[in-house]
Amino acid sequence: MTQNSTPTFRRILLKLSGEALMGNADYGISADVVERLAAEIKELIDAGVEVALVVGGGNIFRGVGLAGRGMDRVTGDQMGMLATVINALGLQDAIEHAGMTARVMSAVRINQVCEDYIRRRAIRHLEKGRVVIFAAGTGNPFFTTDSAASLRAIEINADLMLKATKVDGIYTADPKRDASAKRYSHLSYDEVIDQRLAVMDTTAIVLCRDNGMPLRVFDINRTGDLKRIVFGEDNVGTLVDNNLTRDKA
Ligand code: UDP
């Protein structure tokens, strides 16, 4: 499929890991990266696409890390969820600098710095053309922001969930280690689960599967790919859904 002149998807949810915000650094937020992301999101907003984001926190803190050294896991996960709020505030600022309106909505109450997550209010923001950034994951320990992304995508009736990674899709093997690795253009949810293709955790994939939420995995570092996908180009990244009649790569 080639790119259309109008967006194919009206409402999308984009999952950005914390690491996606780091750029070449090994910690924190790169101003260059968030500026570039904001510019890519603006192209979608200008085209009338409703854009929701879920941001991770791995560039700052992950609960399992210190839990391995004896920290209480729930405390670690709460720290991780707060890390996602820091990232969300950084993104909100970059998005507003780029001329859009954004709202951070947190799954844990922290309403002196951002709004609480209220589904109907989130949908209203989207309808008004505001970028909604969902922070604090699901609000529960032992979950990931990938699961939060699946959950929010389903809740807001997104047409497509996009998982931004450092690789341009799902491969038969790690393409950085195995030169013969091939990219899948299309997989079913069960193939991702059965073959243990490390895309997202199983909870996140199962949520998408059981609720028919299509998912496309793509490389966030390739400028323009986000727009290509939203405008209907099929040969970008890997699509995961239940449409098993589609050709495989
Ligand atoms: N987290 C959590 N519940 C959630 C989402 C996230 O407890 O619903 C915590 C967990 O400790 C996780 C951290 O927040 O490690 C950061 O999220 P994640 O690892 O998903 O970030 P990413 O890998 O996307 O940067």
Side-chain angles (χ1 to χ4, degrees):
M1 205 198 301
T2 51
Q3 190 170 311
N4 299 321
S5 56
T6 52
T8 305
F9 301 98
R10 199 181 47 84
R11 178 177 293 167
I12 60 149
L13 184 135
L14 170 63
K15 161 71 207 300
L16 296 166
S17 67
E19 283 175 3
L21 308 183
M22 283 189 325
N24 294 326
D26 39 1
Y27 183 82
I29 303 175
S30 152
D32 289 345
V33 171
V34 287
E35 268 172 34
R36 184 178 66 77
L37 287 172
E40 293 213 44
I41 290 165
K42 185 153 195 309
E43 289 193 83
L44 304 184
I45 292 287
D46 288 347
V49 180
E50 295 177 12
V51 181
L53 307 175
V54 166
V55 65
N59 56 323
I60 300 172
F61 194 83
R62 277 210 178 87
V64 282
L66 285 184
R69 299 280 303 274
M71 178 188 264
D72 171 51
R73 171 70 192 264
V74 175
T75 304
D77 281 344
Q78 288 169 338
M79 292 169 72
M81 286 188 271
L82 293 177
T84 73
V85 178
I86 294 174
N87 285 332
L89 293 173
L91 270 173
Q92 175 177 249
D93 186 78
I95 288 167
E96 297 212 317
H97 263 102
M100 295 164 276
T101 309
R103 293 283 188 277
V104 175
M105 302 191 99
S106 171
V108 296
R109 273 198 299 276
I110 175 171
N111 48 33
Q112 283 177 311
V113 287
C114 61
E115 295 184 15
D116 297 337
Y117 170 64
I118 297 171
R119 174 180 173 265
R120 292 169 70 98
R121 191 172 286 171
I123 290 173
R124 191 77 192 113
H125 286 322
L126 292 169
E127 287 168 351
K128 287 186 173 170
R130 297 173 183 148
V131 178
V132 175
I133 308 165
F134 295 120
T138 63
N140 301 291
F142 303 103
F143 284 88
T144 64
T145 48
D146 283 347
S147 293
S150 300
L151 177 64
R152 297 290 184 244
I154 296 160
E155 284 186 275
I156 63 165
N157 298 318
D159 300 315
L160 179 69
M161 172 169 160
L162 287 147
K163 157 94 176 166
T165 66
K166 289 187 206 153
V167 184
D168 65 330
I170 306 173
Y171 277 74
T172 50
D174 182 350
K176 289 191 175 115
R177 290 187 199 157
D178 182 348
S180 67
K182 289 204 165 46
R183 175 170 63 90
Y184 293 106
S185 63
H186 177 229
L187 287 164
S188 70
Y189 305 106
D190 284 333
E191 284 171 323
V192 172
I193 295 166
D194 295 343
Q195 294 173 39
R196 296 177 186 275
L197 298 167
V199 187
M200 303 201 300
D201 56 276
T202 311
T203 310
I205 295 282
V206 167
L207 266 175
C208 286
R209 181 192 68 187
D210 292 355
N211 294 280
M213 175 56 60
L215 162 74
R216 195 175 279 275
V217 179
F218 76 109
D219 185 350
I220 191 65
N221 297 315
R222 290 195 183 196
T223 305
D225 274 5
L226 176 61
K227 186 176 178 198
R228 281 185 203 102
I229 293 167
V230 175
F231 278 68
E233 240 181 80
D234 207 25
N235 193 28
V236 184
T238 301
L239 177 67
V240 183
D241 67 10
N242 268 335
N243 183 358
L244 302 176
T245 55
R246 204 184 279 262
D247 286 342
K248 295 207 182 299

